[in-house]
Amino acid sequence: MQARRAARELAFILFSQFDKKITNYSKDDLEDIILKSVRILTSNASDELKITVGALVEMRAQIEDYEADHETNIARPIGVANIPVPLPMTSDMTGRINEMIDIAEKALLALEIAEFTTLDSQNEVKNYAITIAEYFQKHHKEVDEIIQKYAKNWDLERLVKMDKDILRIALVELLYIKDAPMKVVVDEAMELAKKYSTDDSTSFINGILAKVIVDYGIN
């Protein structure tokens, strides 16, 4: 994982932790929230991996029971080891396996972010996440006005908070920091939307960012 990608994800988690007006947070507050966010990430990752392991153990037991109860093995002498048998339908398992892979990948990503944040000698991940937050503190009114302008027929207060936070991070990078390629910022906003928000979020966020990019001449 690239440090900037980890920083964006950490910034998203940081934004989700805000429980008061954004301008009330000092840099020390932001660093404290980041530390707590990393702890939350690692704790959640540990819990998700435990769930995945438990599901895999359960699936293995089901396969073993199916094998033992199969007519091929029932007909074999007692005490003789079972022989492998064909499964009835691959679709019976692929769905559950895909779910577990998804959980495991998210858990591993969370651990990568935590590792980047704690081991990065230059503190690039933490510092860039804080930079995003500080720019939003300075420009939060303008950023939210832009979101409101392009989110036609949507009340900003009623937008899914995750979508707002993803847009806020992307707009801060595009309009104020201007330190990353436009395509990278948009692509990673899409990745955050796929991971954290609703099924409709990617097209909604992409549509707003596309209009901002055109109207503000971002390239």
Side-chain angles (χ1 to χ4, degrees), residues 173-175 178-185 212-219:
E173 287 198 89
L174 291 171
L175 298 174
K178 300 179 182 180
D179 191 29
M182 174 265 291
K183 187 178 185 306
V184 171
V185 174
V212 171
I213 287 166
V214 171
D215 289 353
Y216 284 78
I218 299 169
N219 51 42

Side-chain angles (χ1 to χ4, degrees), residues 89-120:
M89 292 287 287
T90 53
S91 59
D92 292 342
M93 304 204 140
T94 52
R96 293 188 64 193
I97 290 173
N98 286 337
E99 289 178 11
M100 288 183 280
I101 290 173
D102 185 54
I103 292 172
E105 286 179 344
K106 288 179 179 178
L108 290 171
L109 181 59
L111 292 173
E112 283 187 64
I113 294 169
E115 183 179 16
F116 259 105
T117 306
T118 54
L119 299 183
D120 175 25

Side-chain angles (χ1 to χ4, degrees), residues 14-32:
L14 173 63
F15 276 43
S16 73
Q17 302 297 310
F18 292 148
D19 58 3
K20 57 185 177 182
K21 190 174 180 181
I22 184 68
T23 52
N24 291 344
Y25 290 93
S26 67
K27 186 168 184 177
D28 287 342
D29 291 332
L30 297 177
E31 290 185 348
D32 184 56

Side-chain angles (χ1 to χ4, degrees), residues 35-89:
L35 177 60
K36 292 176 181 176
S37 298
V38 170
R39 287 173 177 164
I40 291 170
L41 273 174
T42 54
S43 176
N44 289 346
S46 177
D47 290 343
E48 288 175 344
L49 287 172
K50 288 175 183 176
I51 291 170
T52 303
V53 170
L56 287 169
V57 170
E58 180 184 349
M59 181 175 289
R60 182 179 64 186
Q62 289 175 345
I63 293 173
E64 290 173 348
D65 289 343
Y66 177 82
E67 182 182 78
D69 295 337
H70 193 275
E71 59 184 13
T72 301
N73 285 312
I74 289 177
R76 289 168 63 79
I78 296 174
V80 174
N82 292 327
I83 61 174
V85 298
L87 292 170
M89 292 287 287

Side-chain angles (χ1 to χ4, degrees), residues 146-173:
I146 290 170
I147 296 173
Q148 182 66 78
K149 175 183 175 182
Y150 290 98
K152 292 181 179 179
N153 302 321
W154 286 89
D155 180 353
L156 187 63
E157 295 303 316
R158 299 183 65 184
L159 281 177
V160 176
K161 186 177 188 304
M162 291 177 287
D163 291 354
K164 283 190 290 188
D165 288 342
I166 293 168
L167 283 167
R168 286 163 171 166
I169 291 167
L171 290 174
V172 163
E173 287 198 89

